Amino acid sequence: MELEIAKIFLALVVLVNPFSALPIFLDLTHNYSKRERTRAAQIASLSVFVTIAVFALVGGGLLSLLGISTGAFRVGGGILVFLIAISMMSSGNNPAKPDIGTDDASEITIARQPAVNIGAIAVVPLAIPMMIGPGGISTVVIYTATAKSYWDIAAVIIAGGVIALLCYLTLLAATKVSDILGETGLTVLNRVMGMLLAAVSVEIIVAGLRELFPQLG
């Protein structure tokens, strides 16, 4: 069980990757006071945990309601996670997370929000989908849909709580971390996390194929 918790944590922490949210966090909270920035970090981290917990509790029921087998969802979710991993290793961007900036080609921009909208920017886009997006949600549903006991579901929620705490600490230290790692350091970190995520995605796909085609086992 300890190994399973470790695998769940690894998959989620790589997908959530709070370091990838540092640039947008620094940009959106540029004019915030230290207290306001701390509040934004708290709300964003809590949103990550709530999202993981909700999908951990309703994920299996949602698949049953839609008539989707866990094997099919594993394969589909694994492919999505693998595509995210490839993108992280090749360009550092996440296809399941929006390219938020002022790029004229994409024409995607986010106006800096005033301090009164701390909760708004902390939940969207900082927490959802910048930190916990489709890839992370799919992974949560995959693990909980195949849970054999309540402890398995609890393990996912516990892992989500630890990850939310990691997100909070990372966002609190956003300015220092960005200064220490620099653009190059953040890029290298993103590549390494992409490699780890690729390995996790392959395991998810293989498990799904074995469930769909038992003769492969």
Side-chain angles (χ1 to χ4, degrees):
M1 179 56 66
E2 289 77 8
L3 179 60
E4 188 68 16
I5 294 177
K7 288 173 61 178
I8 295 172
F9 177 78
L10 175 61
L12 289 178
V13 77
V14 172
L15 280 167
V16 173
N17 188 8
F19 291 101
S20 67
L22 291 184
I24 189 65
F25 178 74
L26 291 172
D27 179 66
L28 292 175
T29 61
H30 178 71
N31 293 325
Y32 286 8
S33 65
K34 183 177 180 181
R35 181 178 180 180
E36 291 168 340
R37 184 172 290 182
T38 299
R39 179 60 177 165
Q42 291 174 341
I43 296 175
S45 302
L46 180 60
S47 299
V48 169
F49 173 71
V50 170
T51 302
I52 292 175
V54 167
F55 279 94
L57 293 173
V58 305
L62 183 62
L63 291 186
S64 299
L65 180 65
L66 297 176
I68 301 174
S69 68
T70 55
F73 194 84
R74 275 176 176 261
V75 174
I79 292 174
L80 171 62
V81 172
F82 185 71
L83 291 175
I84 294 174
I86 291 177
S87 182
M88 289 173 67
M89 289 185 287
S90 61
S91 65
N93 296 322
N94 189 329
K97 296 179 181 179
D99 180 16
I100 301 176
T102 56
D103 187 1
D104 292 334
S106 65
E107 297 182 354
I108 297 177
T109 58
I110 290 183
R112 184 171 292 118
Q113 301 292 329
V116 293
N117 289 328
I118 291 178
I121 67 102
V123 176
V124 179
L126 190 56
I128 306 169
M130 283 304 297
M131 290 194 288
I132 182 70
I137 292 173
S138 297
T139 301
V140 171
V141 174
I142 287 170
Y143 278 114
T144 55
T146 56
K148 295 183 175 64
S149 66
Y150 289 114
W151 168 245
D152 292 335
I153 296 177
V156 176
I157 296 177
I158 291 172
V162 175
I163 290 170
L165 177 60
L166 177 62
C167 290
Y168 175 65
L169 296 176
T170 301
L171 293 180
L172 277 186
T175 303
K176 292 183 179 180
V177 171
S178 182
D179 291 341
I180 292 174
L181 295 181
E183 184 176 350
T184 301
L186 290 174
T187 299
V188 170
L189 182 62
N190 215 39
R191 299 295 193 275
V192 172
M193 288 191 166
M195 293 177 63
L196 294 174
L197 186 58
V200 171
S201 67
V202 170
E203 284 208 359
I204 293 175
I205 294 173
V206 170
L209 289 174
R210 286 177 175 171
E211 185 170 344
L212 290 174
F213 307 102
Q215 61 271 23
L216 294 178

